Amino acid sequence: MGHRFLPDLSADELAERQLAGLKWTVGHAFANCPAYERKFREMGLRPGDVKSLDDLARLPFTSVEDLREGYPLPLLSVPEEDVVRIHGSSGTTGKRKILAYTQKDIDTWKGMMARCYELAGCTRLDRVQICVGYGLWTAGAGFQLGCEHFGAMTLPVGPGMLDIQVQILADLGATTLCSTASMALLMAEEVEKRGLRGKVRLQRGIFGAEPHTPKMRERFEELLGLKDSFDIVGMTELYGPGTGLECAAHDGVHYWADLYILEILDPETLRPVAPGEIGEMVVTSLCKEAAPLIRYRTRDLTRLVEGDCACGLRLPRHDKILGRSDDMIIVRGVNVYPGQVAEVLGRFPELSSEYQIVLTRVEGKDYMAVNVERAEGRASGGDEALAKAVGQAMQKSLLVSAAVKVMDHGELPRTFAKSRRVLDERQ
Ligand code: AMP
Ligand code: ZN
């Protein structure tokens, strides 16, 4: 279909590349990384044992504990002089993960990001405003590298700084906005507040780094006048942002199966879930040099989307990231995911997309409070009845009671990074 960056591979060609990449990765890791060598030896495996893609299932897992043990340069598989860059995760869940990159890793990553811009419908005439963190975090570097490689115009503003942000947006006529979902909402509300809607030339948003709800997305799409928006996925361990992108058909995220293998496994049994079921994303890189990943347990939850995509792209898809297994909170013995709370709130048009869960413990008993906001322009008259209705819906869906508080629109914190939805004040 004449793509410059997106590959078009048949199932056989893809499998061939995956097998070659898997063999290379296993050989490379075994020969150059003591931690991997030990894991293989413990299981009585040698690189030559990988003869087909089915052999992936025999390989040992890697997890965040392996990254911690090897801190600060975990799973390093190249001599230090070949490392040209390090990055760190945003550190929202525990200690920051630090990962190393060779020049080839950087080049692979910029190609992945270029695929994202291409799939989002950008051309070299687009002006891409990048409103994510630069520095240790992968986001800024990834979006910028990819944008330049793709050949569009980069407007590297970084996160926050709303004055400069809206100035560049209006004066330079950015067509594409790259940010977290939270930052997209913040920018949208800022543009609205300043009455700049007519000056904004944005056509599309590429947003990610955290879960979003349909409500949140509708809101920033509407306020920014976007024609379309695309969920981008990624993580520091696997280069950074751009491991996959939602296409214009909006039926899942295409991921780069020629660069990594994705398994969806039951987190308890570590066996594949039934087709289309939700499980943990487990990834194996196919050409990553500095820190190869073999069956790395990401803790992100999603499912595979079966069948061919309406957009015609021959790359497999997974659903959006539905949450992380370590997001789960236990309230009075009941397992609760923040996404479940968001789902309930989505049913109430009287409410905005924002929420915050506050957990406390009084005399050994857990209490869950959920703070929500009235939708823009709604009067406060019915707050009490609304809180009651939301509380009842929550009880029904989560099987645990919550004290719901309805606040003014805009009262809950907005952020240009990832939103923190849970405040756990229990010891
Ligand atoms: P970091 O390595 O700090 O960039 O964080 C990566 C993590 O952010 C992933 O493992 C996911 O849990 C989360 N994440 C990234 N992109 C998305 C997205 N589009 N939707 C939901 N969660 C995401
Ligand atoms: Zn598609």
Side-chain angles (χ1 to χ4, degrees):
M1 286 198 293
H3 286 127
R4 278 167 65 217
F5 297 99
L6 289 158
D8 183 35
L9 299 167
S10 70
D12 284 347
E13 287 166 333
L14 182 59
E16 209 173 288
R17 282 212 199 173
Q18 287 187 332
L19 181 57
L22 181 62
K23 285 181 174 169
W24 177 82
T25 298
V26 167
H28 170 62
F30 186 87
N32 300 303
C33 175
Y36 274 126
E37 188 194 348
R38 202 176 332 113
K39 275 177 188 283
F40 277 80
R41 287 200 189 280
E42 275 167 13
M43 296 183 83
L45 283 170
R46 304 206 37 104
D49 294 335
V50 177
K51 296 192 171 72
S52 78
L53 285 174
D54 291 337
D55 293 324
L56 178 65
R58 300 167 59 196
L59 301 183
F61 289 95
T62 319
S63 69
V64 65
E65 282 77 41
D66 295 293
L67 302 186
R68 268 192 209 123
E69 264 168 40
Y71 186 87
L73 294 173
L75 308 178
L76 190 66
S77 305
V78 294
E80 189 177 324
E81 65 259 35
D82 290 343
V83 174
V84 299
R85 173 99 65 85
I86 66 135
H87 276 294
S89 66
S90 46
T92 33
T93 52
K95 193 171 172 131
R96 206 177 288 289
K97 300 158 196 149
I98 300 283
L99 274 299
Y101 299 69
T102 64
Q103 186 57 51
K104 183 184 175 196
D105 295 336
I106 298 282
D107 291 343
T108 305
W109 183 24
K110 77 180 180 202
M112 288 171 25
M113 278 301 308
R115 290 178 183 187
C116 292
Y117 289 114
E118 186 165 63
L119 190 52
C122 292
T123 72
R124 301 185 66 202
L125 284 171
D126 273 293
R127 298 180 175 195
V128 182
Q129 187 155 333
I130 300 173
C131 322
V132 293
Y134 275 76
L136 204 49
W137 196 28
T138 52
F143 276 105
Q144 171 143 4
L145 267 171
C147 189
E148 290 169 355
H149 184 52
F150 179 75
M153 186 194 292
T154 313
L155 312 173
V157 185
M161 303 187 295
L162 288 171
D163 281 332
I164 303 177
Q165 212 71 260
V166 290
Q167 184 191 336
I168 298 290
L169 198 60
D171 294 356
L172 277 131
T175 60
T176 304
L177 185 80
C178 303
S179 68
T180 61
S182 295
M183 178 67 183
L185 181 67
L186 186 64
M187 287 271 277
E189 290 181 341
E190 198 61 29
V191 164
E192 173 81 352
K193 225 185 280 170
R194 300 188 188 208
L196 289 172
R197 180 73 181 277
K199 291 211 164 148
V200 171
R201 310 243 173 302
L202 283 175
Q203 309 212 0
R204 68 182 75 74
I206 299 177
F207 68 93
E210 56 176 353
H212 70 281
T213 58
K215 199 179 222 178
M216 191 176 184
R217 181 171 184 169
E218 276 161 28
R219 177 99 178 130
F220 65 68
E221 281 186 348
E222 189 203 320
L223 292 182
L224 292 171
L226 303 180
K227 295 203 181 85
D228 213 346
S229 71
F230 305 90
D231 188 6
I232 187 167
V233 296
M235 69 191 91
T236 312
E237 300 92 307
L238 197 54
Y239 304 97
T243 56
L245 192 90
E246 190 181 359
C247 69
H250 300 294
D251 186 19
V253 171
H254 287 284
Y255 67 90
W256 320 138
D258 58 327
L259 301 176
Y260 66 95
I261 298 177
L262 175 65
E263 297 174 273
I264 305 288
L265 304 183
D266 179 323
E268 300 291 324
T269 64
L270 294 177
R271 300 186 63 84
V273 296
E277 292 292 308
I278 297 173
E280 179 176 344
M281 301 173 83
V282 174
V283 295
T284 300
S285 63
L286 297 173
C287 59
K288 200 163 178 278
E289 289 184 338
L293 300 180
I294 296 177
R295 305 192 89 196
Y296 176 70
R297 296 189 56 183
T298 67
R299 306 198 189 188
D300 285 327
L301 303 170
T302 192
R303 64 184 139 224
L304 290 176
V305 177
E306 311 273 301
D308 298 331
C309 185
C311 80
L313 202 61
R314 289 199 289 178
L315 278 165
R317 287 169 296 160
H318 62 71
D319 201 350
K320 66 179 185 196
I321 295 173
L322 303 164
R324 291 178 58 83
S325 56
D326 40 17
D327 275 350
M328 192 185 76
I329 47 184
I330 303 178
V331 187
R332 300 195 183 186
V334 179
N335 298 346
V336 175
Y337 283 96
Q340 288 176 288
V341 172
E343 194 275 317
V344 172
L345 302 182
R347 293 185 226 148
F348 289 86
E350 304 92 321
L351 299 175
S352 84
S353 58
E354 297 311 284
Y355 65 96
Q356 196 161 54
I357 300 169
V358 185
L359 300 169
T360 49
R361 182 166 288 156
V362 183
E363 288 167 2
K365 244 181 158 184
D366 290 344
Y367 290 88
M368 179 164 87
V370 179
N371 298 329
V372 297
E373 277 182 355
R374 243 171 278 123
E376 168 96 281
R378 289 236 167 213
S380 60
D383 280 3
E384 218 167 288
L386 182 56
K388 196 167 161 214
V390 175
Q392 278 168 350
M394 213 108 69
Q395 166 87 42
K396 211 165 163 196
S397 155
L398 312 179
L399 304 175
V400 59
S401 66
V404 177
K405 184 172 160 203
V406 181
M407 306 167 86
D408 286 339
H409 184 82
E411 207 178 327
L412 283 171
R414 300 289 193 267
T415 174
F416 48 77
K418 305 190 193 199
S419 284
R420 217 175 133 210
R421 305 286 185 189
V422 181
L423 296 184
D424 196 342
E425 292 166 357
R426 303 173 295 185
Q427 285 315 302

PDB file of all heavy atoms in Angstrom, residues 352-367:
ATOM      1  N   SER A 352     -17.835  14.603  34.839  1.00  0.00           N
ATOM      2  CA  SER A 352     -16.681  14.737  33.934  1.00  0.00           C
ATOM      3  C   SER A 352     -15.954  13.396  33.874  1.00  0.00           C
ATOM      4  O   SER A 352     -16.372  12.424  34.487  1.00  0.00           O
ATOM      5  CB  SER A 352     -15.733  15.830  34.447  1.00  0.00           C
ATOM      6  OG  SER A 352     -14.859  15.301  35.436  1.00  0.00           O
ATOM      7  N   SER A 353     -14.839  13.381  33.155  1.00  0.00           N
ATOM      8  CA  SER A 353     -14.080  12.137  33.012  1.00  0.00           C
ATOM      9  C   SER A 353     -13.168  11.883  34.209  1.00  0.00           C
ATOM     10  O   SER A 353     -12.591  10.808  34.351  1.00  0.00           O
ATOM     11  CB  SER A 353     -13.227  12.211  31.754  1.00  0.00           C
ATOM     12  OG  SER A 353     -12.350  13.326  31.811  1.00  0.00           O
ATOM     13  N   GLU A 354     -13.002  12.876  35.070  1.00  0.00           N
ATOM     14  CA  GLU A 354     -11.962  12.792  36.104  1.00  0.00           C
ATOM     15  C   GLU A 354     -12.474  12.183  37.402  1.00  0.00           C
ATOM     16  O   GLU A 354     -13.625  12.361  37.780  1.00  0.00           O
ATOM     17  CB  GLU A 354     -11.389  14.190  36.350  1.00  0.00           C
ATOM     18  CG  GLU A 354     -10.713  14.751  35.106  1.00  0.00           C
ATOM     19  CD  GLU A 354      -9.739  13.758  34.495  1.00  0.00           C
ATOM     20  OE1 GLU A 354      -8.643  13.597  35.045  1.00  0.00           O
ATOM     21  OE2 GLU A 354     -10.076  13.128  33.479  1.00  0.00           O
ATOM     22  N   TYR A 355     -11.572  11.493  38.082  1.00  0.00           N
ATOM     23  CA  TYR A 355     -11.935  10.890  39.367  1.00  0.00           C
ATOM     24  C   TYR A 355     -10.682  10.614  40.177  1.00  0.00           C
ATOM     25  O   TYR A 355      -9.570  10.561  39.636  1.00  0.00           O
ATOM     26  CB  TYR A 355     -12.696   9.575  39.158  1.00  0.00           C
ATOM     27  CG  TYR A 355     -11.866   8.488  38.507  1.00  0.00           C
ATOM     28  CD1 TYR A 355     -11.220   7.516  39.280  1.00  0.00           C
ATOM     29  CD2 TYR A 355     -11.692   8.448  37.136  1.00  0.00           C
ATOM     30  CE1 TYR A 355     -10.438   6.537  38.694  1.00  0.00           C
ATOM     31  CE2 TYR A 355     -10.907   7.474  36.538  1.00  0.00           C
ATOM     32  CZ  TYR A 355     -10.290   6.518  37.328  1.00  0.00           C
ATOM     33  OH  TYR A 355      -9.509   5.559  36.736  1.00  0.00           O
ATOM     34  N   GLN A 356     -10.901  10.455  41.466  1.00  0.00           N
ATOM     35  CA  GLN A 356      -9.789  10.097  42.337  1.00  0.00           C
ATOM     36  C   GLN A 356     -10.313   9.158  43.416  1.00  0.00           C
ATOM     37  O   GLN A 356     -11.372   9.399  43.987  1.00  0.00           O
ATOM     38  CB  GLN A 356      -9.221  11.353  42.972  1.00  0.00           C
ATOM     39  CG  GLN A 356      -7.868  11.157  43.558  1.00  0.00           C
ATOM     40  CD  GLN A 356      -7.151  12.487  43.764  1.00  0.00           C
ATOM     41  OE1 GLN A 356      -7.699  13.367  44.401  1.00  0.00           O
ATOM     42  NE2 GLN A 356      -5.966  12.634  43.232  1.00  0.00           N
ATOM     43  N   ILE A 357      -9.575   8.102  43.648  1.00  0.00           N
ATOM     44  CA  ILE A 357      -9.984   7.124  44.663  1.00  0.00           C
ATOM     45  C   ILE A 357      -9.105   7.346  45.892  1.00  0.00           C
ATOM     46  O   ILE A 357      -7.875   7.396  45.771  1.00  0.00           O
ATOM     47  CB  ILE A 357      -9.775   5.692  44.127  1.00  0.00           C
ATOM     48  CG1 ILE A 357     -10.613   5.485  42.859  1.00  0.00           C
ATOM     49  CG2 ILE A 357     -10.115   4.656  45.190  1.00  0.00           C
ATOM     50  CD1 ILE A 357     -10.280   4.206  42.112  1.00  0.00           C
ATOM     51  N   VAL A 358      -9.708   7.508  47.052  1.00  0.00           N
ATOM     52  CA  VAL A 358      -8.934   7.709  48.279  1.00  0.00           C
ATOM     53  C   VAL A 358      -9.242   6.564  49.240  1.00  0.00           C
ATOM     54  O   VAL A 358     -10.402   6.315  49.570  1.00  0.00           O
ATOM     55  CB  VAL A 358      -9.281   9.061  48.952  1.00  0.00           C
ATOM     56  CG1 VAL A 358      -8.378   9.293  50.164  1.00  0.00           C
ATOM     57  CG2 VAL A 358      -9.155  10.209  47.966  1.00  0.00           C
ATOM     58  N   LEU A 359      -8.184   5.874  49.648  1.00  0.00           N
ATOM     59  CA  LEU A 359      -8.365   4.733  50.550  1.00  0.00           C
ATOM     60  C   LEU A 359      -7.830   5.088  51.933  1.00  0.00           C
ATOM     61  O   LEU A 359      -6.727   5.615  52.063  1.00  0.00           O
ATOM     62  CB  LEU A 359      -7.595   3.527  50.008  1.00  0.00           C
ATOM     63  CG  LEU A 359      -8.029   3.073  48.619  1.00  0.00           C
ATOM     64  CD1 LEU A 359      -7.041   2.059  48.078  1.00  0.00           C
ATOM     65  CD2 LEU A 359      -9.422   2.482  48.649  1.00  0.00           C
ATOM     66  N   THR A 360      -8.632   4.840  52.942  1.00  0.00           N
ATOM     67  CA  THR A 360      -8.182   5.078  54.311  1.00  0.00           C
ATOM     68  C   THR A 360      -8.493   3.840  55.152  1.00  0.00           C
ATOM     69  O   THR A 360      -9.260   2.975  54.725  1.00  0.00           O
ATOM     70  CB  THR A 360      -8.910   6.295  54.932  1.00  0.00           C
ATOM     71  OG1 THR A 360     -10.318   6.142  54.704  1.00  0.00           O
ATOM     72  CG2 THR A 360      -8.442   7.594  54.309  1.00  0.00           C
ATOM     73  N   ARG A 361      -7.890   3.804  56.337  1.00  0.00           N
ATOM     74  CA  ARG A 361      -8.175   2.681  57.237  1.00  0.00           C
ATOM     75  C   ARG A 361      -8.462   3.257  58.625  1.00  0.00           C
ATOM     76  O   ARG A 361      -7.655   4.012  59.158  1.00  0.00           O
ATOM     77  CB  ARG A 361      -6.982   1.728  57.282  1.00  0.00           C
ATOM     78  CG  ARG A 361      -7.236   0.509  58.174  1.00  0.00           C
ATOM     79  CD  ARG A 361      -6.195  -0.570  57.946  1.00  0.00           C
ATOM     80  NE  ARG A 361      -6.386  -1.218  56.647  1.00  0.00           N
ATOM     81  CZ  ARG A 361      -5.422  -1.845  55.986  1.00  0.00           C
ATOM     82  NH1 ARG A 361      -4.196  -1.872  56.476  1.00  0.00           N
ATOM     83  NH2 ARG A 361      -5.667  -2.413  54.824  1.00  0.00           N
ATOM     84  N   VAL A 362      -9.626   2.951  59.130  1.00  0.00           N
ATOM     85  CA  VAL A 362      -9.999   3.429  60.463  1.00  0.00           C
ATOM     86  C   VAL A 362     -10.333   2.215  61.317  1.00  0.00           C
ATOM     87  O   VAL A 362     -11.191   1.411  60.941  1.00  0.00           O
ATOM     88  CB  VAL A 362     -11.224   4.377  60.377  1.00  0.00           C
ATOM     89  CG1 VAL A 362     -11.557   4.918  61.774  1.00  0.00           C
ATOM     90  CG2 VAL A 362     -10.959   5.516  59.412  1.00  0.00           C
ATOM     91  N   GLU A 363      -9.646   2.102  62.428  1.00  0.00           N
ATOM     92  CA  GLU A 363      -9.836   0.972  63.349  1.00  0.00           C
ATOM     93  C   GLU A 363      -9.830  -0.364  62.612  1.00  0.00           C
ATOM     94  O   GLU A 363     -10.723  -1.193  62.772  1.00  0.00           O
ATOM     95  CB  GLU A 363     -11.134   1.153  64.148  1.00  0.00           C
ATOM     96  CG  GLU A 363     -10.996   2.257  65.185  1.00  0.00           C
ATOM     97  CD  GLU A 363     -12.331   2.687  65.779  1.00  0.00           C
ATOM     98  OE1 GLU A 363     -13.359   2.093  65.413  1.00  0.00           O
ATOM     99  OE2 GLU A 363     -12.320   3.610  66.593  1.00  0.00           O
ATOM    100  N   GLY A 364      -8.828  -0.505  61.755  1.00  0.00           N
ATOM    101  CA  GLY A 364      -8.633  -1.779  61.068  1.00  0.00           C
ATOM    102  C   GLY A 364      -9.575  -2.027  59.894  1.00  0.00           C
ATOM    103  O   GLY A 364      -9.501  -3.065  59.247  1.00  0.00           O
ATOM    104  N   LYS A 365     -10.434  -1.077  59.606  1.00  0.00           N
ATOM    105  CA  LYS A 365     -11.391  -1.271  58.519  1.00  0.00           C
ATOM    106  C   LYS A 365     -11.072  -0.349  57.347  1.00  0.00           C
ATOM    107  O   LYS A 365     -10.749   0.819  57.549  1.00  0.00           O
ATOM    108  CB  LYS A 365     -12.804  -0.947  59.035  1.00  0.00           C
ATOM    109  CG  LYS A 365     -13.713  -2.156  59.011  1.00  0.00           C
ATOM    110  CD  LYS A 365     -15.086  -1.790  59.504  1.00  0.00           C
ATOM    111  CE  LYS A 365     -16.061  -2.827  58.974  1.00  0.00           C
ATOM    112  NZ  LYS A 365     -17.437  -2.542  59.293  1.00  0.00           N
ATOM    113  N   ASP A 366     -11.169  -0.892  56.114  1.00  0.00           N
ATOM    114  CA  ASP A 366     -10.884  -0.078  54.928  1.00  0.00           C
ATOM    115  C   ASP A 366     -12.091   0.764  54.525  1.00  0.00           C
ATOM    116  O   ASP A 366     -13.222   0.281  54.581  1.00  0.00           O
ATOM    117  CB  ASP A 366     -10.564  -0.989  53.732  1.00  0.00           C
ATOM    118  CG  ASP A 366      -9.236  -1.683  53.893  1.00  0.00           C
ATOM    119  OD1 ASP A 366      -8.434  -1.249  54.737  1.00  0.00           O
ATOM    120  OD2 ASP A 366      -9.006  -2.676  53.166  1.00  0.00           O
ATOM    121  N   TYR A 367     -11.802   1.980  54.101  1.00  0.00           N
ATOM    122  CA  TYR A 367     -12.854   2.833  53.542  1.00  0.00           C
ATOM    123  C   TYR A 367     -12.406   3.357  52.192  1.00  0.00           C
ATOM    124  O   TYR A 367     -11.251   3.738  52.031  1.00  0.00           O
ATOM    125  CB  TYR A 367     -13.161   4.011  54.481  1.00  0.00           C
ATOM    126  CG  TYR A 367     -13.846   3.551  55.741  1.00  0.00           C
ATOM    127  CD1 TYR A 367     -13.092   3.162  56.844  1.00  0.00           C
ATOM    128  CD2 TYR A 367     -15.237   3.469  55.823  1.00  0.00           C
ATOM    129  CE1 TYR A 367     -13.707   2.709  58.007  1.00  0.00           C
ATOM    130  CE2 TYR A 367     -15.862   3.025  56.970  1.00  0.00           C
ATOM    131  CZ  TYR A 367     -15.093   2.646  58.064  1.00  0.00           C
ATOM    132  OH  TYR A 367     -15.705   2.186  59.192  1.00  0.00           O
TER     133      TYR A 367
END
